[in-house]
Amino acid sequence: QQNVQQSPESLIVPEGARTSLNCTFSDSASQYFWWYRQHSGKAPKALMSIFSNGEKEEGRFTIHLNKASLHFSLHIRDSQPSDSALYLCAVLSNTGYQNFYFGKGTSLTVIP
Amino acid sequence: ETAVFQTPNYHVTQVGNEVSFNCKQTLGHDTMYWYKQDSKKLLKIMFSYNNKQLIVNETVPRRFSPQSSDKAHLNLRIKSVEPEDSAVYLCASSYGTGGYEQYFGPGTRLTVL
């Protein structure tokens, strides 16, 4: 079964900082990688995805994927207080059932 | 804008009771899911339902069962709740199985006394 781990568990950064969130997975055949953001008391909402090795940028957010290292990350440039939320990484497993496996999340707090 | 609707928002019940949660999506998706989010915020897939094919996570106890009338609705029934069932239950939908984005509902928080 897919094992997805996130680090750090929590992070406090000042407004304007660059923030990096990490996710590792265990199934080298995984093909789809997503980041979701969940504000307190709200539904998780998809932020960004990447399907092949490399980097993808959308506004202040960048995803890096390195399948050989079983690692992908989310980088937030110019962090804003509105970015304060739980960030969940999700990996689609290709072994057994094709379902997403989520990490336990990184709780990000951006201080004004 | 909410397009995946869940009822109720909260439910408090006692051990051994039966509960049902409803989920409806208005996105025209053909795949729906139920997830359990525990107190540590870990999201675990329970069921996925696509074109009348049910895929069950083998770790889900048999007292849990999904019920679907059409591809826009996927309800969750728990036959005899236990204290460890206390959690937030999240419904989601997507265009299909595979790597598609999943759209989540706001969740139903279950407390078992």
Side-chain angles (χ1 to χ4, degrees), chain B residues 9-70:
Chain B
N9 294 328
Y10 305 93
H11 190 79
V12 181
T13 190
Q14 299 204 328
V15 170
N17 285 351
E18 177 174 318
V19 298
S20 284
F21 304 146
N22 301 313
C23 180
K24 169 188 167 182
Q25 55 95 4
T26 58
L27 295 164
H29 291 164
D30 62 7
T31 304
M32 295 184 72
Y33 311 83
W34 276 104
Y35 286 88
K36 179 181 179 181
Q37 188 170 37
D38 63 23
S39 58
K40 295 185 178 179
K41 302 296 183 184
L42 178 62
L43 262 178
K44 281 183 100 170
I45 183 75
M46 299 180 73
F47 305 100
S48 64
Y49 198 78
N50 171 262
N51 290 329
K52 300 190 179 178
Q53 183 192 13
L54 175 66
I55 299 174
V56 182
N57 183 332
E58 62 271 16
T59 66
V60 174
R62 290 192 175 188
R63 61 181 180 279
F64 289 85
S65 59
Q67 298 169 318
S68 177
S69 54
D70 54 55

Side-chain angles (χ1 to χ4, degrees), chain A residues 13-106:
Chain A
V13 301
E15 184 175 353
R18 185 174 191 264
T19 302
S20 295
L21 310 176
N22 299 295
C23 187
T24 60
F25 52 97
S26 59
D27 182 357
S28 58
S30 300
Q31 289 187 316
Y32 299 97
F33 307 86
W34 283 86
W35 283 98
Y36 283 78
R37 183 164 72 178
Q38 186 177 22
H39 286 103
S40 183
K42 303 290 186 183
K45 195 169 178 184
L47 201 54
M48 281 182 79
S49 62
I50 193 166
F51 306 140
S52 56
N53 273 336
E55 179 180 302
K56 181 179 171 183
E57 182 177 332
E58 288 181 4
R60 296 185 295 109
F61 299 89
T62 303
I63 286 188
H64 288 274
L65 171 63
N66 184 330
K67 285 191 186 180
S69 302
L70 304 175
H71 176 266
F72 70 112
S73 56
L74 177 70
H75 306 274
I76 307 173
R77 178 172 47 86
D78 187 24
S79 299
Q80 299 297 307
S82 57
D83 294 329
S84 297
L86 181 71
Y87 288 77
L88 298 161
C89 67
V91 181
L92 187 79
S93 183
N94 271 347
T95 53
Y97 299 127
Q98 273 207 331
N99 281 315
F100 275 106
Y101 289 84
F102 284 79
K104 289 184 180 180
T106 293

Side-chain angles (χ1 to χ4, degrees), chain B residues 63-100:
Chain B
R63 61 181 180 279
F64 289 85
S65 59
Q67 298 169 318
S68 177
S69 54
D70 54 55
K71 69 177 189 178
H73 297 83
L74 185 66
N75 300 330
L76 179 68
R77 185 179 79 157
I78 313 174
K79 239 180 179 178
S80 175
V81 296
E82 297 191 7
E84 60 264 31
D85 299 338
S86 295
V88 175
Y89 291 86
L90 289 160
C91 176
S93 70
S94 67
Y95 278 112
T97 56
Y100 294 99

